[in-house]
Amino acid sequence: TDAQFNACITDEKAQAALNARWDRYINDDKITATPTFVINGQTLSGELTLPALDAAVAKAKSGKPAT
């Protein structure tokens, strides 16, 4: 509803939490593009093929450290 929407966009606590997450992703995780995936410490960003994403997930599942 309009009331729910207005309550959401004027919720200062929620906005502060969103900004804190945004800052953490940019500063701590070094995320600068969309999409970005962090898989077992390896950051994959920008255009990514499904086979490349599958390979990163398989490597993470195998327990091998990220390179």
Side-chain angles (χ1 to χ4, degrees):
T1 66
D2 285 344
Q4 291 170 314
F5 174 79
N6 289 328
C8 180
I9 65 169
T10 59
D11 184 338
E12 291 182 19
K13 185 176 178 181
Q15 290 175 10
L18 175 62
N19 287 334
R21 286 192 308 273
W22 181 272
D23 289 341
R24 182 176 60 86
Y25 298 143
I26 291 172
N27 298 319
D28 297 348
D29 297 330
K30 308 298 184 219
I31 294 177
T32 60
T34 302
T36 297
F37 301 91
V38 179
I39 302 172
N40 199 27
Q42 179 182 13
T43 302
L44 306 166
S45 62
E47 188 174 333
L48 186 66
T49 65
L50 187 54
L53 183 58
D54 286 342
V57 170
K59 186 175 183 179
K61 287 173 67 175
S62 74
K64 295 179 182 174
T67 57

